[in-house]
Structure formats: structure tokens, C-alpha cells
């Protein structure tokens, strides 16, 4: 039984694409056949983050328009088995996405035996975001520890539970909250919202906290998924998210402020 | 401003006798069954069953009688628009609006006009009731219970009744009810009770963090309130024109 998971946030720049890439890679690394679809038509990024930008021949919109088959458009990841990327079109806009077109692609992926279909949503609450969440069974809501991000996540949660296909049929999409770019030191200093506050405001179960980390930027720029960096805290935190998603009981990590290094530590440490 | 043709809930008073004493007694009895409910509620007088005797009907006195019992007389219906001018004049002078008839009771002569239903339901067939008048309560009370969080950008409306929310509500959300509103969680957005003018509607919440509170059109930004109950369990009610915020214990 395949599952469609949307990675969404409302606000831009919070880490949806990074999360989509890391989460899909993590699922695939655990042996599940996974496809990740870039819904950000016109502002294609997922291919860059995943390091496949030079291998794009056909894209999502080509498949929807019947100009290419799904097999032709899917790019197989070279580092992780079971991982396939369906890139967005860079030359079109969101109007190229139709409900019927998206549905046929999702259904074909399901028929092809994909276990998980990860939909990387664009920012905003317009057509692209709406299309990305419409067929979702579960949703990962990506939030940064600041008020505008939290409010936008709240807004997208409302849309998810009122306008998705599952909601229209009277069901409810399973929600997971993922806090990214979390900096325990700044939370302690009062500059950032704490994770307990965010969970309280959104009242959505927490699936993970990804610490602010340079390794995320390095991984993005080099086109390597951050989960493949075994030393990175962010990569480890993403793998924890995948484990929790698959039902394992994993405690939260990297959420406490580091003790300040003393003078001698700084000097000699 | 806006002027719109809209249907509202009205009580229809079906006259079966033009004797004012009988009417007064019967209507008072009906009112005393639910004085709170009928207080200040609008009434339309239906004359279709006494159409023949309408000339003898004292509309001025009828209006006073309705007012005295705490109703608000709105109009008269069941009178043909081709009725004698002096009758139409008397209705107008008494301050009634002349309304076109809804569906007339089957035992009376059907008058020409149709449509324009006032939303009343004759669900209690007490036509055999000896009472001269029946004030038909036509509101079906409906409760709305919401079990999931009300998110920013979402609007929930409980028509004709109370709303109960068993989850938190977000800033940027809007709860509207014709009756009272209960929130068993944090109340963060806008909350408007008594949306159609029910001044007895109240707001109850576990944690008062609302942006705007309103009852029967009287509103207040919570930030402009000097209440010490922010973030605490609270009840809000209307006293005159003033919103009163009280602790909920």
C-alpha cells in the first residue's frame, strides 16, 4: 500500500525542499521504493539539491501533458537505491498542473510499486501548493522557530484539513510537525520560539527537530543529500525523523543548548 | 450601506378571531411559556383566516397589544393588495408593513400571492387549539461541535445555535455563532457570539488569548482591554453596551 506524503509549510525558505530530499533519501536508504516529486513548477530546485540537475530530460509537466512517459521523466538517484526524482518544469508556471494530470501521475507511481511518494510543495497557498497537498495521505509541516513561519504553517494546516481529497471525502490527513533550523542556544537566549511553544500553538504531533547546521548548506550546494553525511547533526536528525515516521521510537536529539566553553577550553580545547 | 432582500426568522401570528380580549389572553399565555425566547422577537400578523372581518379590526390597538406583550410588531400579511383603500390605509397608519402572504393554511381561501416564505414551519398542527393566536417558534436550535483545531484563515459559523470547540483556535481564525461559544482550549483568533443580535449569548474559554471578542455586534480588541484574565479561563458577557470579562471558575 503506497503512501503519498506532502512536505509543505506555507512560508518560503523554511526548508521544504531540503526536507523532501533528506526524507525521501532516508526512506529509500531504509529500503523503501520512494519517488520525490517537485511541485514548484517554474522555480525548480529539488533537482539541484539532489544533484541531478544535469540529468533532467523530461519533467513533471511533460508527463502531465502526455509529452513523455513517467519512466522517461523519473531520474534514478545514483547514490541511493530505490530513490527516484520527478523534476518540475522550469519553463512553465503552476497552471500547467491539473488535478487530473497530477492524479494520473500519482496513480501510475502507485501502480509501479512505489512505497512512498513524497510531494515537495512550493511556498504559498496557491495552485502549486494546493496541487501538492491534494492527494496527500500524510503531511510533514515544516516550520522554523519564528512567529510568521508558525502562522503560515497554521494556515496551510487549515487548507490541508479542508481542501485535500481526503478531507473532501470526510477523512483527515495525518499531520507531522517538523521544526527546522532550530538553534537551542538562541531559544535559550529568548531570540527564537521554543519547540514546546510551537507544538502548543499548532497542536500537531512533533516528528522531529532539525538543528541549524552548516552541513545543510554544504550538502545543498554540493547536491548531496544531508542524510548521507553521517557526521552531521542535521543529517542524523533527519534519519531520526525517517525512523519515527516508520514507527520506531527514537528520542529527540540536538535540542539542548551546548554548555558555554570556558576560557581555558576555548584557549586549549 | 447595503439594502438587501433577505429572509429572516419571524413569528407568524395567525389571527382566528378579531376579538382583542381573547387574542390578548391567548398571546400572553403563549408568551409566558418562554418569555426569554419571545422577548423582543418580531411578529407578523397573518389575517388570511379573518379576511372577511378585517374592516372591523383595530390595527392600532392590535399593534399596542403586541408591543405590550414584549413582541415587536413588524407587518401584516394575508390582506389582498386589492383590498379597499381605507383598510390598507388603516394598516399603514398603525405602522404595520403590508407583506405578501406565504403559503396560506389549506382551510382558508387561498390568496393570489405566493412565494415570499418567512421561513416558518407549521409543524405543530394545533389549528384545533381553541386559542385565538399561535405564535410559531420556527427556530430549530442546532449545536455545532468542532473537534479539530480551527486554523488561521478558517471561519466557522454556527447558525441558530451554540458552538463548542474541543481544540485550540489559532490567531487569524474566526468563530461566529448565533448563540454562545465555548472553547475548551486556547482561544486565539476572533470570536463573535450572538451574531444575529442575541444579547444573551456568551463566550467561554479555557485560555483567553483572543484577538477580538464580540457579542451581538459589540466588539472589543482584547489588547485594548485592561483585563487581567488574558491566558486564563474566562467568560465574556454583555451588560448593556459593555463587554464584561469574568473569571471562569
Amino acid at each position: 500500500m503506497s503512501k503519498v506524503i506532502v512536505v509543505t509549510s506555507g512560508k518560503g525558505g523554511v526548508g521544504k525542499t531540503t526536507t523532501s530530499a533528506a526524507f525521501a533519501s532516508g526512506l529509500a536508504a531504509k529500503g523503501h521504493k520512494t519517488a520525490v516529486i517537485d511541485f514548484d513548477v517554474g522555480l525548480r530546485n529539488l533537482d539541484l539539491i539532489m544533484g541531478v540537475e544535469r540529468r533532467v530530460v523530461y519533467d513533471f509537466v511533460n508527463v502531465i501533458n502526455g509529452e513523455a512517459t513517467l519512466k522517461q521523466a523519473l531520474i534514478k538517484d545514483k547514490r541511493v537505491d530505490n530513490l527516484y526524482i520527478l523534476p518540475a518544469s522550469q519553463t512553465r508556471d503552476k497552471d500547467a498542473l491539473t488535478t487530473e494530470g497530477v492524479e494520473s501521475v500519482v496513480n501510475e507511481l502507485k501502480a509501479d510499486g512505489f512505497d512512498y511518494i513524497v510531494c515537495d510543495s512550493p511556498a504559498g497557498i496557491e495552485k502549486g501548493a494546493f496541487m501538492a497537498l491534494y492527494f496527500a495521505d500524510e503531511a510533514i509541516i515544516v516550520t522554523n522557530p519564528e512567529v510568521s513561519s508558525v502562522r503560515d504553517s497554521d494556515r496551510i494546516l487549515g487548507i490541508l484539513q479542508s481542501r485535500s481529497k481526503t478531507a473532501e471525502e470526510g477523512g483527515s490527513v495525518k499531520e507531522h510537525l517538523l521544526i527546522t533550523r532550530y538553534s537551542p542556544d538562541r531559544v535559550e537566549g529568548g531570540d527564537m520560539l521554543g519547540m514546546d511553544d510551537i507544538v502548543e500553538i499548532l497542536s500537531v504531533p512533533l516528528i522531529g527537530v532539525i538543528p541549524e547546521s552548516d552541513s545543510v548548506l554544504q550538502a545543498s550546494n554540493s547536491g548531496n543529500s544531508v542524510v548521507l553525511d553521517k557526521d552531521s547533526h542535521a543529517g542524523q536528525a533527519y534519519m531520526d525523523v525517517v525512523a519515527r515516521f516508520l514507527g520506531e521510537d527514537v528520542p529527540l536529539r540536538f535540542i539542548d543548548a551546548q554548555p558555554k566553553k570556558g576560557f581555558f577550553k576555548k584557549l586549549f580545547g | 450601506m447595503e439594502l438587501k432582500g433577505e429572509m429572516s426568522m419571524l413569528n407568524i401570528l395567525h389571527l382566528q378571531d378579531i376579538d382583542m380580549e381573547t387574542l390578548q389572553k391567548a398571546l400572553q399565555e403563549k408568551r409566558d411559556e418562554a418569555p426569554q425566547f419571545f422577548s423582543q422577537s418580531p411578529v407578523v400578523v397573518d389575517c388570511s383566516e379573518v379576511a372577511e372581518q378585517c374592516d372591523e379590526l383595530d390595527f392600532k390597538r392590535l399593534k399596542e397589544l403586541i408591543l405590550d406583550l414584549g413582541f415587536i410588531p413588524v407587518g401584516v400579511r394575508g390582506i389582498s393588495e386589492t383590498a379597499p383603500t381605507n383598510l390598507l390605509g388603516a394598516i399603514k397608519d398603525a405602522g404595520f408593513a403590508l407583506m405578501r402572504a406565504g403559503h396560506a393554511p389549506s382551510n382558508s381561501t387561498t390568496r393570489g400571492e405566493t412565494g415570499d416564505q418567512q421561513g416558518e414551519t407549521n409543524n405543530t398542527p394545533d389549528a384545533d387549539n381553541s386559542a385565538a393566536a399561535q405564535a410559531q417558534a420556527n427556530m430549530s436550535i442546532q449545536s455545532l461541535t468542532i473537534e479539530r483545531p480551527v486554523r488561521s484563515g478558517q471561519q466557522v459559523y454556527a447558525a441558530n445555535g451554540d458552538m463548542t470547540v474541543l481544540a485550540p483556535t489559532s490567531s487569524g481564525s474566526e468563530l461566529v455563532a448565533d448563540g454562545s461559544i465555548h472553547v475548551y482550549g486556547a482561544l486565539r483568533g476572533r470570536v463573535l457570539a450572538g451574531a444575529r443580535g442575541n444579547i444573551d449569548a456568551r463566550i467561554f474559554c479555557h485560555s483567553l488569548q483572543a484577538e477580538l471578542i464580540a457579542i451581538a455586534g459589540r466588539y472589543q480588541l482584547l489588547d485594548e482591554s485592561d483585563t487581567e484574565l488574558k491566558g486564563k479561563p474566562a467568560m465574556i458577557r454583555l451588560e448593556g453596551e459593555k463587554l464584561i470579562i469574568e473569571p471562569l471558575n
Side-chain angles (χ1 to χ4, degrees):
Chain A
M1 186 55 197
S2 41
K3 257 186 197 157
V4 181
I5 305 125
V6 62
V7 177
T8 188
S9 70
K11 193 168 160 52
V14 297
K16 285 182 295 298
T17 302
T18 303
T19 299
S20 299
F23 183 65
S25 303
L27 286 171
K30 292 240 178 191
H32 301 282
K33 193 177 176 189
T34 305
V36 53
I37 310 176
D38 189 351
F39 275 77
D40 206 347
V41 177
L43 292 167
R44 186 172 90 194
N45 282 160
L46 182 70
D47 54 322
L48 274 177
I49 305 272
M50 301 194 73
V52 298
E53 75 275 13
R54 302 177 70 82
R55 297 172 59 202
V56 176
V57 182
Y58 294 107
D59 59 50
F60 191 17
V61 174
N62 291 137
V63 179
I64 286 175
N65 291 344
E67 296 151 2
T69 64
L70 186 58
K71 277 206 169 57
Q72 286 174 307
L74 278 177
I75 303 169
K76 189 177 183 316
D77 193 276
K78 285 187 172 163
R79 287 157 302 204
V80 187
D81 282 341
N82 305 315
L83 179 61
Y84 295 80
I85 299 130
L86 183 56
S89 170
Q90 184 69 343
T91 53
R92 310 293 281 272
D93 61 32
K94 304 313 192 248
D95 291 334
L97 299 173
T98 60
T99 315
E100 298 75 27
V102 175
E103 184 170 33
S104 74
V105 170
V106 168
N107 285 343
E108 201 178 334
L109 288 169
K110 285 182 178 175
D112 276 355
F114 278 92
D115 299 314
Y116 296 104
I117 301 160
V118 178
C119 302
D120 179 23
S121 171
I125 52 171
E126 276 74 43
K127 187 153 187 193
F130 175 62
M131 280 296 143
L133 65 79
Y134 188 69
F135 295 101
D137 302 307
E138 303 197 16
I140 295 179
I141 311 297
V142 184
T143 303
N144 286 170
E146 47 114 0
V147 284
S148 60
S149 175
V150 172
R151 170 176 287 192
D152 291 357
S153 293
D154 193 46
R155 182 84 170 93
I156 205 84
L157 280 162
I159 292 171
L160 188 69
Q161 299 302 7
S162 59
R163 292 184 57 195
S164 62
K165 188 163 183 277
T166 305
E168 282 175 2
E169 288 165 356
S172 107
V173 178
K174 192 172 179 193
E175 304 160 339
H176 307 277
L177 177 64
L178 179 66
I179 301 173
T180 56
R181 312 198 65 170
Y182 196 71
S183 168
D185 294 328
R186 298 187 62 190
V187 170
E188 200 158 82
D191 302 336
M192 268 186 182
L193 282 174
M195 62 175 204
D196 295 334
D197 294 333
I198 300 172
V199 172
E200 203 241 318
I201 292 172
L202 292 175
S203 47
V204 171
L206 187 67
I207 197 168
V209 178
I210 310 297
E212 175 82 303
S213 162
D214 290 340
S215 58
V216 173
L217 189 67
Q218 284 161 11
S220 296
N221 285 338
S222 61
N224 286 311
S225 186
V226 69
V227 290
L228 302 176
D229 182 354
K230 297 269 187 290
D231 299 327
S232 145
H233 284 181
Q236 293 174 45
Y238 270 120
M239 279 316 286
D240 288 354
V241 170
V242 172
R244 283 184 207 109
F245 183 83
L246 295 172
E248 292 173 39
D249 192 11
V250 183
L252 287 170
R253 290 194 273 175
F254 320 116
I255 52 170
D256 296 318
Q258 295 298 313
K260 290 259 187 305
K261 280 185 182 172
F263 175 72
F264 285 101
K265 262 265 171 72
K266 265 185 201 162
L267 213 57
F268 303 110
Chain B
M1 67 144 282
E2 255 183 328
L3 185 64
K4 283 183 174 169
E6 268 187 17
M7 289 193 288
S8 305
M9 295 294 186
L10 294 169
N11 298 299
I12 308 296
L13 176 65
H14 292 273
L15 282 194
Q16 286 158 344
D17 193 329
I18 61 161
D19 181 57
M20 289 293 157
E21 247 73 61
T22 328
L23 175 64
Q24 207 264 345
K25 241 177 103 190
L27 189 56
Q28 185 161 11
E29 270 173 31
K30 193 79 193 171
R31 182 202 62 178
D32 290 343
E33 283 172 27
Q36 285 283 321
F37 180 79
F38 286 120
S39 168
Q40 303 294 303
S41 68
V43 166
V44 168
V45 183
D46 188 311
C47 297
S48 47
E49 288 173 60
V50 292
E52 267 73 35
Q53 302 152 276
C54 266
D55 317 32
E56 300 162 43
L57 199 58
D58 186 348
F59 283 98
K60 278 214 171 90
R61 223 186 122 202
L62 177 64
K63 187 184 178 186
E64 278 162 21
L65 184 156
I66 296 171
L67 271 174
D68 286 347
L69 289 170
F71 296 88
I72 297 177
V74 176
V76 171
R77 70 174 199 186
I79 307 265
S80 166
E81 279 166 39
T82 55
T85 342
N86 58 346
L87 174 58
L88 295 179
I91 294 169
K92 201 179 138 205
D93 288 346
F96 280 108
L98 188 62
M99 309 174 97
R100 283 177 299 150
H103 45 88
S106 53
N107 59 348
S108 73
T109 48
T110 319
R111 304 215 161 247
E113 294 80 12
T114 51
D116 197 21
Q117 299 183 8
Q118 310 290 345
E120 97 262 41
T121 44
N122 269 326
N123 51 6
T124 45
D126 47 355
D128 54 341
N129 192 332
S130 60
Q134 334 152 4
Q136 281 290 344
N138 46 30
M139 299 201 182
S140 56
I141 300 296
Q142 282 171 349
S143 296
L144 181 64
T145 306
I146 295 156
E147 299 185 25
R148 277 216 297 256
V150 184
R151 304 287 181 186
S152 184
Q154 289 187 315
Q155 193 185 43
V156 192
Y157 176 44
N160 292 336
D162 290 0
M163 180 191 297
T164 310
V165 183
L166 301 169
T169 77
S170 300
S171 62
S173 67
E174 201 166 290
L175 307 180
V176 187
D178 290 339
S180 296
I181 298 176
H182 307 254
V183 181
Y184 295 95
L187 171 59
R188 297 198 184 93
R190 295 166 164 241
V191 55
L192 299 91
R196 284 198 293 181
N198 181 4
I199 54 170
D200 294 321
R202 294 185 181 198
I203 298 164
F204 307 82
C205 62
H206 261 187
S207 173
L208 180 64
Q209 302 168 40
E211 294 161 349
L212 179 142
I213 51 176
I215 296 174
R218 283 75 162 181
Y219 69 91
Q220 186 178 30
L221 291 169
L222 198 70
D223 276 0
E224 289 176 0
S225 162
D226 52 7
T227 179
E228 285 164 8
L229 293 168
K230 286 173 194 165
K232 299 208 167 73
M235 175 185 78
I236 303 156
R237 62 185 172 85
L238 192 63
E239 199 174 280
E241 291 294 307
K242 206 170 169 336
L243 290 165
I244 309 288
I245 305 175
E246 290 173 346
L248 191 61
N249 292 319

